[in-house]
């Protein structure tokens, strides 16, 4: 069975989107690890800068997933039923994690906010780690479905 040109182009595009998501996710997880390794958190410029850098990476990763892969699927550029079934099943769970990620970012996205909330950072970061693990597990189901049938 041969694939037509538009199918090949869509698959190529989906693989590029996956690669970008994985790259941003890896960067975000690296920054998460660096930040977490600096416990206990003290209100100094180094920690505040780390938190800001992590928040930016976290939002970039979250937005990329939403505006690339999920939009790709939502705009009917992905036609494989197996991918659509997985996306329909896991997207509500991913959306829940997005709300938690954005709440974390809102709490720590500026020096002022971060200084006000620093005493809760260890607990919040731990919870965020659990949320990210859940999100990644859900994303990987979509990624796996998209990568099948190259």
């Amino acid at each position: 069975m041969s694939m037509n040109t538009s199918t090949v182009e869509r698959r190529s595009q989906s693989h590029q989107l996956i690669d970008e998501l994985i790259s941003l996710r890896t960067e975000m997880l690296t920054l998460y690890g660096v930040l977490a390794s600096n416990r206990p958190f003290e209100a100094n410029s180094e920690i505040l800068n780390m938190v800001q850098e992590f928040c930016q990476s976290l939002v970039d990763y979250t937005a990329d997933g939403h505006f690339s892969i999920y939009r790709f699927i939502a705009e009917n550029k992905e036609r494989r039923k197996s991918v659509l079934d997985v996306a329909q099943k896991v997207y509500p769970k991913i959306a829940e994690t997005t709300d938690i990620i954005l709440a974390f970012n809102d709490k720590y996205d500026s020096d002022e906010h971060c200084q006000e909330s620093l005493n809760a950072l260890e607990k919040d970061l731990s919870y965020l780690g659990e949320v990210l693990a859940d999100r990644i597990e859900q994303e990987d189901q979509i990624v796996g479905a998209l990568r099948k049938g190259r």
Side-chain angles (χ1 to χ4, degrees):
M1 177 174 120
S2 68
M3 291 189 279
N4 65 35
T5 304
S6 65
T7 300
V8 171
E9 288 172 3
R10 283 193 311 269
R11 300 252 172 105
S12 176
Q13 184 182 6
S14 73
H15 292 295
Q16 289 173 343
L17 296 173
I18 290 167
D19 292 345
E20 182 178 326
L21 177 70
I22 300 299
S23 176
L24 288 169
R25 182 166 83 183
T26 301
E27 177 184 325
M28 179 273 303
L29 290 172
T30 299
L31 292 171
Y32 178 93
V34 169
L35 179 59
S37 71
N38 279 280
R39 288 178 290 214
F41 301 113
E42 297 175 16
N44 61 49
S45 62
E46 184 179 356
I47 293 296
L48 296 177
N49 287 338
M50 276 187 215
V51 173
Q52 300 303 296
E53 186 178 4
F54 171 69
C55 282
Q56 184 60 56
S57 180
L58 181 65
V59 168
D60 289 349
Y61 153 71
T62 304
D64 183 77
H66 179 76
F67 291 112
S68 64
I69 290 181
Y70 311 129
R71 179 177 280 173
F72 179 82
I73 292 169
E75 291 176 351
N76 295 320
K77 292 181 181 173
E78 176 56 56
R79 304 231 169 100
R80 292 173 286 176
K81 182 172 176 5
S82 60
V83 174
L84 298 174
D85 288 348
V86 169
Q88 185 175 16
K89 180 180 89 176
V90 303
Y91 186 73
K93 296 173 188 172
I94 290 172
E96 287 176 22
T97 66
T98 298
D99 294 342
I100 295 167
I101 288 167
L102 294 177
F104 178 93
N105 182 67
D106 289 348
K107 189 172 182 178
Y108 293 100
D109 68 343
S110 71
D111 281 351
E112 183 182 331
H113 290 164
C114 193
Q115 284 180 350
E116 292 170 2
S117 305
L118 199 59
N119 62 339
L121 181 59
E122 189 166 348
K123 181 176 106 301
D124 291 345
L125 202 57
S126 177
Y127 177 61
L128 182 66
E130 294 172 20
V131 168
L132 289 171
D134 289 344
R135 182 187 183 96
I136 289 167
E137 185 179 312
Q138 303 304 318
E139 279 177 352
D140 283 349
Q141 290 182 45
I142 294 174
V143 167
L146 283 166
R147 284 192 167 152
K148 284 182 182 171
R150 283 184 168 220

